[in-house]
Amino acid sequence: MSVRRLADEAVQPAGFAFTEANAAWAKETIRKYPEGRQYSAVIPLLMRAQEQEGWVTRAAVEYVAEMLEMPLIRVLEVATFYTQFQLGPVGTRAHVQVCGTTPCMLRGAGDLIETCKKKIHPEPLHTNEAGTLSWEEVECQGACVNAPMVMIFKDTYEDLTPDRLEEIIDAFEAGRGDSIQPGPQIDRYTSAPASGFTTLKDESAVLKFPVGEGAGDSGPDDGEAATNVPPSRAGRPRTEAMETDAAIRSPSPEKASGNGEKRASVEPPQENEAEADRVAEEAEVSSRERHHSDAPKTEEPALRSPRLKKAKAGPETEPGPESPDRNTTPPAGNENRPPAIEQPQQPDDLKLISGIGPKAEAILNDLGIYTFAQIASWKRAEREWVDGFLRFRGRIEREDWVKQAEALAKGGVAEYERVFGKKPR
């Protein structure tokens, strides 16, 4: 990659400042990023500075660095790394970027470069005598089908010949750049074949068939044509192939086949072990909530990470989590179980504690735990008892429920924000 440096001091302006409108835009842009992540606005701010001045000056780099309270060297690194930033003066009316990558070069980009040398300046990144035009050769700009092409500021001009490029340059030089229609400069619709459409030329030929889910998935005897269905399902024939069975979509819209037999459940892929653990843990808590409710027991969730299943199985003599003999109620008389209280008229919202969701809160309420003060008073043995009962595998210690509960019990959300520097979730 070529070395990119700021322009010579002789052409650098004395200072820079956003216009009033651009300053308001910049402040609004910075506010889009989370607190402490304002550096992320550096690229849009540099781009707006370039649009205002025509190129990125040293003063603009310093101004953006100060505005974002960002080290100057970091802003300089961004400005000199990305070739979208012009580091020296360019044409005030047009800066022509000629694509020189293989597809464009094979279709005449070399002739376009010669045109720029003749009409603007023999060397790239130099302005003409009036300072209104400049040019450079760049890498692929994504219009390979319509090669060769150039980009002038934010617009592309495609399917060019040297003569047509001369006309475009003359129009911009005369201040009539807005009279040139961007895009293909021949009789072509966007990137469709230059010879014209070859398929889907007659819409009626498509619409004569029933359109939609009902038509595509039903046979010729269906008689009714559904009308509001995604095009991806339009005109699809009936098939009994397993791959197209609606019951194996995720999530499945069907629970049973036409004869009433229950379809086999399809276990989703679990290559991501961390995600599989999270899904299995939520299913575990959901299962405990059901055991604590008055509703009859239902099956344990089918989703379970193999790693969790092995880790939670315990000794072979102990019933596993799937065993119907496993006792899922709190062991009576356990000395480490936290003391329970009667449900107060207004229980605390335990979900404000990071790590406690609606299901975990319901289980804690079943255990007689309703307030932040209760959790704040837990000793280690009590924390370990609750953690083991919820099968949270150390979450209570990792997320420091006690410290969170202490802050919430002492001063609510305001105290929590003071202690942790953020609001509870």
Side-chain angles (χ1 to χ4, degrees):
M1 182 176 178
S2 61
V3 176
R4 287 167 47 83
R5 295 188 175 92
L6 297 181
D8 189 86
E9 287 296 328
V11 298
Q12 293 286 352
F16 170 86
F18 276 134
T19 63
E20 185 177 346
N22 282 343
W25 174 89
K27 291 178 181 178
E28 187 62 31
T29 298
I30 294 171
R31 279 198 293 268
K32 293 179 181 178
Y33 297 95
E35 188 67 31
R37 296 290 185 271
Q38 287 78 14
Y39 289 6
S40 300
V42 63
I43 289 180
L45 263 60
L46 285 174
M47 281 301 298
R48 184 54 65 101
Q50 176 167 289
E51 291 169 8
Q52 178 177 308
E53 300 295 300
W55 57 292
V56 177
T57 65
R58 177 188 297 278
V61 171
E62 295 170 348
Y63 182 90
V64 170
E66 183 178 354
M67 194 172 197
L68 296 176
E69 298 181 356
M70 187 173 178
L72 177 61
I73 185 60
R74 297 302 180 203
V75 183
L76 188 61
E77 286 172 344
V78 173
T80 56
F81 179 82
Y82 293 104
T83 55
Q84 71 196 54
F85 297 120
Q86 301 297 334
L87 302 182
V90 296
T92 56
R93 293 182 179 172
H95 177 65
V96 183
Q97 295 180 305
V98 185
C99 177
T101 311
T102 305
C104 281
M105 194 58 73
L106 291 175
R107 291 179 59 85
D111 295 333
L112 301 186
I113 291 174
E114 291 303 316
T115 298
C116 290
K117 290 180 178 180
K118 179 179 71 174
K119 296 287 293 182
I120 301 175
H121 194 281
E123 296 295 329
L125 296 172
H126 286 70
T127 62
N128 59 356
E129 290 185 4
T132 55
L133 301 173
S134 58
W135 73 277
E136 67 174 319
E137 180 183 348
V138 297
E139 294 299 321
C140 181
Q141 298 187 93
C144 304
V145 172
N146 299 12
M149 55 85 65
V150 303
M151 177 178 283
I152 300 178
F153 299 123
K154 291 184 177 181
D155 292 318
T156 60
Y157 302 86
E158 305 146 14
D159 294 304
L160 290 172
T161 62
D163 291 341
R164 180 56 180 160
L165 180 57
E166 283 195 30
E167 295 173 0
I168 292 174
I169 292 174
D170 288 341
F172 275 94
E173 170 68 0
R176 295 184 289 103
D178 56 355
S179 67
I180 306 296
Q181 180 67 31
Q185 301 299 300
I186 61 174
D187 187 17
R188 180 207 294 268
Y189 178 73
T190 62
S191 58
S195 58
F197 293 111
T198 58
T199 59
L200 301 178
K201 295 189 291 184
D202 184 4
E203 187 177 0
S204 62
V206 178
L207 298 180
K208 71 180 181 179
F209 296 104
V211 181
E213 194 98 26
D217 295 336
S218 57
D221 300 329
D222 189 13
E224 284 189 30
T227 56
N228 298 316
V229 176
S232 61
R233 300 299 304 165
R236 291 198 175 187
R238 178 190 292 275
T239 173
E240 300 298 332
M242 179 185 69
E243 292 81 2
T244 59
D245 189 344
I248 65 173
R249 296 181 196 168
S250 181
S252 173
E254 296 186 13
K255 297 299 182 183
S257 62
N259 58 11
E261 295 178 357
K262 188 174 182 180
R263 294 186 186 271
S265 63
V266 180
E267 183 170 347
Q270 297 185 357
E271 290 82 359
N272 187 328
E273 289 187 343
E275 178 65 10
D277 284 357
R278 185 189 66 76
V279 172
E281 186 171 312
E282 289 184 358
E284 193 84 57
V285 173
S286 178
S287 172
R288 286 190 169 278
E289 184 180 33
R290 289 197 301 270
H291 282 299
H292 279 282
S293 68
D294 295 331
K297 289 185 179 180
T298 56
E299 291 182 345
E300 282 283 334
L303 305 180
R304 186 168 300 283
S305 157
R307 187 174 65 170
L308 269 183
K309 191 179 288 186
K310 180 177 179 181
K312 293 182 178 181
E316 294 183 358
T317 57
E318 180 184 353
E322 287 75 33
S323 171
D325 299 330
R326 185 176 182 86
N327 179 19
T328 57
T329 58
N334 191 320
E335 61 181 10
N336 292 328
R337 175 178 173 176
I341 65 172
E342 292 292 332
Q343 180 174 353
Q345 188 173 2
Q346 288 188 337
D348 290 336
D349 183 4
L350 301 184
K351 297 187 297 297
L352 290 176
I353 295 177
S354 177
I356 299 181
K359 295 176 181 177
E361 181 186 48
I363 295 176
L364 290 172
N365 290 166
D366 286 344
L367 293 173
I369 297 168
Y370 295 96
T371 68
F372 299 132
Q374 286 178 275
I375 298 177
S377 68
W378 285 353
K379 302 297 188 292
R380 174 176 292 276
E382 293 169 331
R383 297 196 297 269
E384 291 176 351
W385 187 95
V386 176
D387 192 89
F389 178 70
L390 294 176
R391 293 181 180 170
F392 272 177
R393 296 174 298 153
R395 179 191 292 183
I396 293 177
E397 296 297 331
R398 286 196 308 273
E399 301 187 355
D400 205 344
W401 285 14
V402 169
K403 186 175 180 180
Q404 292 186 65
E406 286 176 349
L408 290 166
K410 181 179 179 181
V413 173
E415 178 66 13
Y416 187 102
E417 189 171 2
R418 188 192 68 79
V419 172
F420 294 97
K422 61 180 181 180
K423 292 182 179 180
R425 62 190 186 92

